Every structure is written in C-alpha cells, then in structure tokens.
Amino acid sequence: MRRRTGILVLHVSALILFGAAVTALYPQETPPEAEEAGERSVDWYTERALEAVDSENDTRAVELLKEGQERHPQAVRLYATLGDLYFDEELYRLALAEYQQAERIDPNNFNVIHSAGLSLGRLNRDNEAVRYLERVVELYPDSLEAYADLGWMYFKTHQLEAGEELMLEAIEEFGEERTLTMTLGTIYADMYEYENAKRYYELSIESALADGRNYFASVAYYNLSLLQKAFHRFNDAMQSTEESLAQTERATGHLAKGELYEMQMNFRRAHEQYNRAYNLDEDTPLAKLDLAALYQTFGRLEEALAYARDVYESEDLHWMFNFGIDERRHHMELHGLLADIYRGTAHEVSMTPARSPFEWVSHTVQRIKHRVLAWYHDMTFNRYAAAAAEAYEEQGSQLNAQWTYFRAHEQYPRVAKRYLERARELETELIPDTEPLYAMHRAVLNEDPDAIAAAADSLHPRWERLDIAKGLREIARIARAQGDQSTAGRAAVELYRMNRGAIRQHGIELPVRVSVRGDRQDVARSVRGRLSGAGFRIVEDDALARGVVPPHLELEARADGRVSFRLTDEGRTVAGDTVEAPASDRRRAVAGAVARAVADAVFRVE
C-alpha cells in the first residue's frame, strides 16, 4: 500500500587523502644508499604518478606505480597510492586489491586498513567492512574519522545498539562533533526514537551553520526531513526539505520534496522535483527510481519501464554505501516496481481495442508475455523480501523484519495477517498515526471494501492521498470481484478524479454516461460499443453508490469522417479532441481506432 524502504539517510564521509598528503602518510621507504646509486626511489615514482594525475593522465600514473612496485615490492606507499587512485575513480575492487597487498606488508597501517574497510563498504561487503573498521578503531582510538565510519557501518548493517554505544563513547571522547552527532541521529532514527534523533540532527545542523558548512547542514536537514516524514510530521518535513535546498541545492533534497508532493498526488510538482534531482545526480539511480515509480503510479508505463530497466541493467552498486542501503533491499524494491509495471502493461494491453485480427493476436501475445514477466519479478521480489526480513531479524530490527515478512507473503493472506499484526503492534506504539494504514492493509487482506473505505476516511486528506488512492483501487477491484458493481463504480470514479492513470493499468473500468450525436450516429454508436473493451463501463443511471455522479462522454460523428469526443466531470471538461477516423470499409476497425484514441486521451496524465 505504501512504498516503505526504511529511512534513506545520507552519510557525509571523509574523502581519501590524496595528492600532496600521500607523502606525509608514509615514511620514506627507499634506502638513502639506493638513491645515491641512481636508482629511482619510491618518492620519485610517487611524485611522478601524482604529476600524471594532475595532468589527467591516469594511465601513465598507473604505469609508473606498477613499475615502482616491481622495483620496490615492499613499498607500502606505492600500493596505497595506487589504491587511492583507483578509489577516486570508483574502481573499488582494484583499490581493495592494492590496499590488501599493502596490508600484507604493513598490517597495522591506518590509511591502508581504513581505506580497505571503506572499499569493502562501497562493494557492499558489509560484514568484512565492519571487521576492518573495528580493527581501525581498536588500533587508533584517537581517530574520530574511524569512529564515524564504523558507526555508519553499524547503522548500515542494523547493528543499532552497537552503533549507539560506539557513538556515545566517541562523543564523550571527542565532544559533540557534527559527524558523530549526525550519525547518532541516524541510528536513533532507525531505532524509531524520534526525540533523540531530532536532537542530534539539530546539534549537527547548529554546528555546521556556525562554521559555514552549508553542504553538511543541507545533508543534516535532509536527514531530519526523512525522520519527520516517517513520524507523520509532514509539514515539518516539507519545511526541512526547503531548508536543505536553501543551504545547498542537492539531488536528494529535490527527491525528498518530490516524494512529499507525490504523497499529495501532485504529479506535476513531483515530476518537476524528480527531474531536477535527475539533472543534478550522476552517481546514483535514486532519481531514476523515483521517476519510474511516479510514472508507474500515474499510468505512464512505457516511461516507467525505461527508467526501471536502466537501473535493473546497471551493475554499479557502490552508491549504496552513502545511503545506508543494502543490495537485498535495493533488489527487492526494484523487482517489486518492475512487477507492477509489467502487470499494469498487461492490463492496458487487454483494454486496448484491436483494429484487426492480426492486432488481436499481437495483443494476446503481449498480454501473456507481460503477465509472465510480472510473475517472474513478483517471485524475485518475494525471495529478496524474505532474505531482507531474515537479515533484519538477525540484526534485531523487529519492526522492519515483521513489515518486510508481511510484504513477502501478501499473496498468502493468512500468513501475511500474522506478520502485519506484529508490525502494527510495534509501530503504532511508536507512531500512532500509522494505525489507519494498518487497518487498510488488514481490510485488503480480508477483502472487505467497507473496512477499506473506513480506513481511507481516517487518512490525512492532503498528505496521504497516495494511500487513499490505493485504497480506492482495492475497493474497485474487490467489489467488482464480489459482484457489487455500484460500489466498484463509485470507487473507480473517485479514483479517476485523483489519478486518471490508475484506471486501465489495474484492470478497472470507469463508469461513464455516453451520449451520441452528429451526422453519422451509426459510427458514433459503433464507437460507443467498443468503449467497453477500452477501460469504460457504460451506465445509464445518473448516480452510483453514495450519490457519486459518473463522468459524461459525448461522441459526435461527422459526415467528413471525423469523430469528436468530450469527457466532462463535475462540471468541467477533462479531455476532448477530434479524431480523424482511419479510411476503412470495416466499421468495427474504425470504431476500434477511435475508441483507442478516446481512451488514450481520457486516461493520460500530463
């Protein structure tokens, strides 16, 4: 019913030291007598490599460092410098290999084992990264950076109690340094401790603003907005996103703002924010994922699939480190989105009138293909969801575990209800405002349209419109299956008024009253007859359940072969156009083509 991927926070980690600082990190490793004999020293190779980097000739830098390693196989600095070069180019597997070779020579070198830990983190080898960073903290207890990075990895692996203990220890040692307070705030956010999380985020914001660190303050405001959104402080969340963007215009700030607009079902504003993020973000697929989900929600499935497939086909996952997300959760959400897109496409194809027998065959093949793809991605989603839930449970994150188990078993209502109830008990104690959402999920599992409607009526009419729309979708589906066309029709009309793109992709029919006029009423009546296969249900009554008046579709067929249509709803024109009917002796083919054009205009979200 809702996209719930946890609190997607952003980590501000220190950059690997490079350039002139490299020399200071490692002692001179070439014996003086060798330099006097004219041999090329470690310093010589390092300096020439850095000069090549400055000249943007990375290939030459690698050649120099590799040659230096052959001449000085025990020189830690050459391996570490090459590792730093690979790290800066996001070649983390190559970087790790260099750091681990340096580690074999000098097992306790701070830069080597710390950088190896960060490389493992970028490669999403989380448990290994934790072990490396624990070693760094043990060997170098005076390093604030080591504490901050280990705390972040504890968060990423949901070892929240260990992370809390470590960060409190670090704050006692180093004071309320903003990197530490922000990491601790993030840990408390994942522990659902609102006041503690808010307090430490605000401390990090105050510190950053006092020192003119606008970028850091922007990240902290962003994290705060996600916390506020999770706890249903929606107005506060919007204000924090505004503050984040005022400090620095970053992609994640636009994403957070876009998600708040999407919750309001404001397609135009959400789309604008996601596009701004897309133009700013070259390093992560987050904007693509949000655009894909937005397009899917509003029925623009071809565009949704293009973005989702682009992410699906990418093998670059290093961005997850900075957002505290693991591969299982990422793949779970991605496969769930793809399943929804393919299932929606199958429904749309089934509601697209064929213009010929050959096209009917083509539609049948496409429908089967997309249903199979939806089934595959559903099964893959379930597998990743079960794995993610098990990981949450092992790490002691019970609320996230029970919720994810529920999502993995939604097709088995009796099993899903148990997990849903356990999640409800845990979350509503922390966030009472989530009770209506749980009531809605329970009603959907029970296939009870009246209970779904009652839960939807308890949701926030502005901020939870996305969930209200999903509730209406479920009412329309369940009521139709139960033979209650009046309730199904009322839900379909209300859903259409919120999101016209939700109708066909969910196999819902929109009730409409149809009037026919013009010189060629026989053509108009043929078009009217084909509308039933194009996402419409023609009704004769002026009112459905609860007095809902269905939209009115006017068809006018002219002697010149053109057909005009206009859909009005609640006193306003929703869609209208004039269609040039294709030249054909077959009235059914003409009617099918016009009905398709009418449906595409009526159900298209711009």
Side-chain angles (χ1 to χ4, degrees), residues 200-476:
Y200 282 102
Y201 280 148
E202 288 177 343
L203 282 173
S204 64
I205 290 168
E206 290 170 10
S207 172
L209 292 177
D211 291 344
R213 297 296 187 90
N214 291 23
Y215 185 90
F216 194 102
S218 176
V219 174
Y221 271 122
Y222 163 78
N223 289 345
L224 177 60
S225 77
L226 299 183
L227 171 73
Q228 291 162 331
K229 176 187 169 188
F231 278 80
H232 288 225
R233 315 281 179 94
F234 301 121
N235 290 320
D236 292 339
M238 181 62 83
Q239 183 177 346
S240 293
T241 62
E242 297 282 8
E243 293 284 0
S244 175
L245 290 167
Q247 297 302 318
T248 304
E249 188 180 18
R250 297 168 39 260
T252 50
H254 287 296
L255 292 178
K257 194 172 182 181
E259 287 172 9
L260 289 168
Y261 282 132
E262 187 175 352
M263 290 171 61
Q264 298 176 359
M265 295 297 285
N266 191 326
F267 175 82
R268 183 181 60 80
R269 288 189 174 181
H271 188 258
E272 178 186 12
Q273 292 299 318
Y274 292 156
N275 269 318
R276 288 188 183 183
Y278 181 79
N279 292 330
L280 289 169
D281 185 2
E282 297 179 356
D283 298 323
T284 81
L286 295 176
K288 293 178 186 177
L289 285 170
D290 274 348
L291 279 166
L294 181 73
Y295 284 134
Q296 182 272 321
T297 295
F298 285 90
R300 291 170 53 164
L301 300 182
E302 288 186 12
E303 292 151 294
L305 183 60
Y307 280 110
R309 289 288 307 179
D310 189 48
V311 177
Y312 180 69
E313 291 167 2
S314 172
E315 297 180 359
D316 182 6
L317 301 176
H318 73 269
W319 57 272
M320 294 182 185
F321 175 84
N322 280 340
F323 289 87
I325 190 170
D326 59 49
E327 289 189 53
R328 282 169 296 208
R329 286 165 57 200
H330 169 67
H331 289 306
M332 176 184 80
E333 298 298 342
L334 181 55
H335 282 283
L337 176 60
L338 284 165
D340 288 341
I341 294 169
Y342 284 121
R343 185 164 36 250
T345 302
H347 280 306
E348 282 202 351
V349 170
S350 70
M351 287 184 164
T352 302
R355 290 167 292 195
S356 68
F358 294 105
E359 192 169 60
W360 181 88
V361 171
S362 175
H363 284 185
T364 302
V365 171
Q366 289 180 51
R367 187 167 63 250
I368 294 171
K369 170 188 172 183
H370 287 110
R371 284 178 177 169
V372 169
L373 287 168
W375 172 84
Y376 165 76
H377 287 289
D378 268 331
M379 294 302 100
T380 309
F381 165 85
N382 291 338
R383 186 173 74 250
Y384 277 114
E390 289 173 8
Y392 278 131
E393 198 163 44
E394 289 172 4
Q395 295 154 355
S397 183
Q398 282 302 317
L399 172 52
N400 288 330
Q402 299 307 314
W403 174 260
T404 310
Y405 275 130
F406 157 69
R407 293 187 64 190
H409 293 87
E410 283 188 86
Q411 72 272 39
Y412 309 111
R414 292 184 64 182
V415 178
K417 286 177 193 176
R418 293 199 295 270
Y419 291 120
L420 180 68
E421 181 59 24
R422 292 170 192 165
R424 186 199 68 78
E425 291 173 356
L426 292 168
E427 186 165 9
T428 55
E429 184 178 351
L430 301 167
I431 312 174
D433 289 337
T434 58
E435 181 65 54
L437 286 168
Y438 280 99
M440 183 180 289
H441 285 295
R442 185 168 57 247
V444 170
L445 293 174
N446 291 331
E447 297 192 336
D448 185 343
D450 290 337
I452 297 172
D457 287 343
S458 299
L459 294 173
H460 195 291
R462 178 188 177 200
W463 287 108
E464 295 181 291
R465 284 174 60 82
L466 181 62
D467 287 305
I468 293 170
K470 292 176 181 178
L472 291 170
R473 180 189 78 200
E474 294 300 319
I475 292 171

Side-chain angles (χ1 to χ4, degrees), residues 162-214:
E164 176 192 19
E165 182 180 353
L166 182 76
M167 289 298 93
L168 289 173
E169 177 186 327
I171 288 171
E172 185 175 348
E173 181 71 21
F174 300 102
E176 293 179 337
E177 197 278 336
R178 56 179 164 267
T179 305
L180 301 176
T181 56
M182 187 151 75
T183 300
L184 182 55
T186 298
I187 289 169
Y188 280 132
D190 211 38
M191 294 172 78
Y192 293 88
E193 294 190 18
Y194 180 82
E195 293 299 333
N196 278 333
K198 179 173 178 285
R199 177 192 166 210
Y200 282 102
Y201 280 148
E202 288 177 343
L203 282 173
S204 64
I205 290 168
E206 290 170 10
S207 172
L209 292 177
D211 291 344
R213 297 296 187 90
N214 291 23

